[in-house]
Amino acid sequence: MASQNQHRVYIPTNARANQYLLAEFKPDEDFYACFSDYASAHQRIVRQLFALCDDAELYNVHVLVNDKLPIVRFHEEAYCLETKRQQLFFYNPRYHEAHTLHGDDTQKARKVRLLFLATGEDIRAHSADFHSRVAKVLTTLQEQLPNQAQPFKVRDHQHLTYDIFARAKGFKESYGYKLRALDSRYEARGCPLPEHRDLTYARFTLPLTRTLKTQLLGNGATDFAQFYARIADAFVTACEAKRLPRRAMVANGRTPLIRHRDIDTSAHNEELEKLSFLPCQDNTQNYVLYNGNQLVQSIDFVIVAGTEDKHDMGYGRFMNQVESVIKSLCMELHVNPERQDINTRFYQHLSYAL
């Protein structure tokens, strides 16, 4: 029993589950040549896609022709916000539905992105069925689009979000998760996958509160390099103690995006920090990114699971190790668990060409 318990992580029952599939393709000139203008091409995609989604009971679907990266988060109210590089979707899977085109459809899109947001109850329990229905829609859409020779790149994203200190705030109910790998879960539910890459990781956010800054920064400080270095040292030390060699600390104001190095290389722009990892290699893969002249509002930490963390039982043991790192870091920094939320996300991604 003890052996099985170490492969379960106990997560608060008020944890929020999200799943979305992102499919994208690059429309070439042969594709656009089949239409009188760009708007006609995009409207054809929208019309056929949304008709297929109605039949497949997919109720929250978006088409992006603005070359912005979609970011999906849970919220009790539905919002869609734009920055220069990102399209942010906030929604509650229980209630919110939409079929929407985003961007100026009279302009040529470098990429057409199709975003499918899971809806309903028990997102994780129904994730294989959702993936299967989306895959069928995409296969049919490919057959219907004229001169569409480019394959669709498909990414399935799932995450669980929770406050690691929920119990300290009085929320006692929890559920023991094994956190099985996506391909194993899907195969068991009759949804076999083509050849794919998968990536599993955890991310947590540390707000730089007034208390923390007062504790670690002197009055009137303008050089924050030592401040960031101390936090980075505490984080790396905690990871080393749990033998977690793939990690990142991002304190430069950018949003971290985690990718498999076989597919994407590390890069950044003014908003996004793309970090690539190889889960099959057990060497240290470490990113510590900050600007000593800039004090950010919060610091993001990422810990990536390796091949050695993928057990038949699931990723429960990995997440227990991650939670130990978070608690160790928070203890080192004297974070008050009763007053501070440390939002923790467990991510599972897979990608393939369709």
Side-chain angles (χ1 to χ4, degrees):
M1 182 62 70
S3 177
Q4 289 199 15
N5 283 339
Q6 73 171 340
H7 288 282
R8 287 183 183 271
V9 58
Y10 287 86
I11 292 175
T13 54
N14 63 349
R16 304 183 299 272
N18 281 85
Q19 180 186 13
Y20 64 94
L21 265 71
L22 177 63
E24 61 184 38
F25 68 93
K26 297 179 179 180
D28 56 21
E29 291 301 331
D30 290 338
F31 173 77
Y32 279 122
C34 298
F35 304 91
S36 58
D37 52 32
Y38 297 135
S40 299
H42 297 152
Q43 289 298 326
R44 171 77 172 271
I45 296 170
V46 166
R47 185 169 60 253
Q48 292 184 314
L49 174 64
F50 291 164
L52 292 170
C53 289
D54 283 336
D55 293 339
E57 298 182 336
L58 298 170
Y59 299 127
N60 203 329
V61 182
H62 303 263
V63 178
L64 286 76
V65 293
N66 53 15
D67 291 323
K68 295 183 180 182
L69 182 71
I71 303 293
V72 180
R73 293 288 182 266
F74 178 95
H75 203 282
E76 290 294 349
E77 299 183 45
Y79 292 103
C80 182
L81 308 175
E82 289 188 52
T83 69
K84 181 179 179 181
R85 301 284 185 175
Q86 303 171 70
Q87 187 99 26
L88 298 100
F89 296 88
F90 297 87
Y91 87 115
N92 186 327
R94 290 185 176 182
Y95 311 117
H96 299 142
E97 301 177 359
H99 280 179
T100 310
L101 172 66
H102 302 271
D104 183 357
D105 69 350
T106 65
Q107 302 294 318
K108 180 180 179 180
R110 186 175 62 88
K111 291 183 180 179
V112 173
R113 292 184 167 97
L114 314 175
L115 178 65
F116 303 83
L117 306 181
T119 58
E121 307 277 349
D122 298 325
I123 297 299
R124 284 183 67 84
H126 297 117
S127 59
D129 174 66
F130 176 68
H131 185 106
S132 179
R133 285 184 287 130
V134 171
K136 289 178 181 177
V137 164
L138 291 173
T139 299
T140 305
L141 181 65
Q142 276 185 313
E143 295 170 351
Q144 292 181 352
L145 293 179
N147 278 2
Q148 177 45 39
Q150 299 292 329
F152 285 3
K153 177 188 284 187
V154 180
R155 289 192 175 104
D156 187 329
H157 300 255
Q158 295 184 38
H159 45 221
L160 278 171
T161 305
Y162 61 100
D163 174 17
I164 195 173
F165 293 137
R167 179 173 288 273
K169 299 178 180 67
F171 194 90
K172 306 296 185 182
E173 297 182 28
S174 63
Y175 180 80
Y177 286 86
K178 294 180 182 178
L179 302 177
R180 295 178 64 197
L182 288 186
D183 48 8
S184 300
R185 285 166 48 199
Y186 283 13
E187 185 174 354
R189 289 167 173 78
C191 178
L193 295 168
E195 183 178 351
H196 62 278
R197 300 287 186 188
D198 57 56
L199 191 64
T200 300
Y201 64 95
R203 173 181 164 189
F204 64 97
T205 303
L206 175 70
L208 296 186
T209 61
R210 179 177 55 85
T211 301
L212 186 59
K213 288 183 286 189
T214 301
Q215 170 194 331
L216 297 181
L217 282 172
N219 292 329
T222 57
D223 184 355
F224 308 109
Q226 187 174 355
F227 169 72
Y228 289 133
R230 176 175 174 179
I231 295 175
D233 287 345
F235 172 61
V236 169
T237 299
C239 288
E240 292 290 343
K242 292 298 177 180
R243 297 182 181 179
L244 297 168
R246 306 165 199 85
R247 66 260 175 159
M249 178 183 121
V250 179
N252 55 15
R254 300 188 182 113
T255 300
L257 299 176
I258 310 306
R259 296 289 186 259
H260 198 296
R261 195 174 297 169
D262 285 347
I263 300 173
D264 285 311
T265 57
S266 297
H268 68 262
N269 55 43
E270 65 271 30
E271 296 182 17
L272 304 170
E273 192 76 57
K274 184 166 63 175
L275 305 175
S276 298
F277 291 86
L278 274 176
C280 60
Q281 292 187 2
D282 59 3
N283 60 303
T284 298
Q285 299 170 48
N286 192 67
Y287 298 91
V288 176
L289 305 172
Y290 60 81
N291 180 349
N293 298 319
Q294 175 190 16
L295 187 62
V296 296
Q297 293 184 338
S298 60
I299 300 176
D300 288 303
F301 299 89
V302 175
I303 302 175
V304 177
T307 305
E308 71 277 11
D309 298 306
K310 186 175 182 178
H311 298 280
D312 291 340
M313 294 287 290
Y315 286 96
R317 183 174 182 273
F318 167 75
M319 276 307 292
N320 280 321
Q321 292 174 305
V322 169
E323 289 198 356
S324 293
V325 168
I326 299 173
K327 291 174 181 177
S328 176
L329 177 63
C330 289
M331 184 177 297
E332 174 74 17
L333 300 177
H334 304 290
V335 173
N336 186 342
E338 296 180 1
R339 298 180 60 86
Q340 186 62 62
D341 289 348
I342 301 297
N343 282 325
T344 304
R345 290 189 174 95
F346 171 71
Y347 288 84
Q348 290 178 287
H349 292 183
L350 63 84
S351 59
Y352 58 85
L354 184 65

